[in-house]
Amino acid sequence: MTSEAPPPPCPRNEQQFVLTLNAPFTLEFSGQTTGTLQATDTAAVVQTVLEGLSTIGAGNVFVTSTGSNFIVVFQNVLGLQDVPIIGSVGALIFESYPGCGGSTGGSTGTE
């Protein structure tokens, strides 16, 4: 039986872009779903709601906004690694700066 060397450390935190389509939306991460969010919610509201998911937890994401869209940066426990792409109903999700081993883009979500 051969053993493989562990992968090298990941040099950056993964970022995912949430395009809200200016409509109500929900976000899903690793099997847990938020309540309904609004395109007019602040980045702080979206961050608090995401941190409320046990699959993310407090302090493990940082959210900024650009208009009615959001950038989610995975950090701390979820930082410096490839994480699953956020799922959504009512928004589109793109990996703007994928983590190690991640794709260079992609989207999930429905309108």
Side-chain angles (χ1 to χ4, degrees), residues 2-106:
T2 62
S3 63
E4 295 182 24
C10 185
R12 63 182 179 256
N13 291 335
E14 183 163 311
Q15 297 181 19
Q16 296 183 21
F17 187 72
V18 180
L19 180 64
T20 68
L21 308 174
N22 290 311
F25 63 99
T26 61
L27 299 174
E28 180 273 330
F29 187 79
S30 293
Q32 291 197 334
T33 305
T34 66
T36 301
L37 295 160
Q38 303 297 320
T40 55
D41 284 339
T42 64
V45 167
V46 174
Q47 179 173 322
T48 298
V49 169
L50 285 172
E51 289 179 330
L53 300 177
S54 66
T55 51
I56 292 180
N60 295 320
V61 292
F62 179 73
V63 179
T64 58
S65 61
T66 57
S68 62
N69 301 308
F70 302 93
I71 298 172
V72 179
V73 179
F74 292 87
Q75 60 186 15
N76 298 324
V77 172
L78 296 175
L80 303 178
Q81 61 183 303
D82 186 33
V83 297
I85 193 163
I86 297 169
S88 179
V89 172
L92 297 175
I93 312 297
F94 296 91
E95 292 178 288
S96 57
Y97 294 97
C100 293
S103 64
T104 56

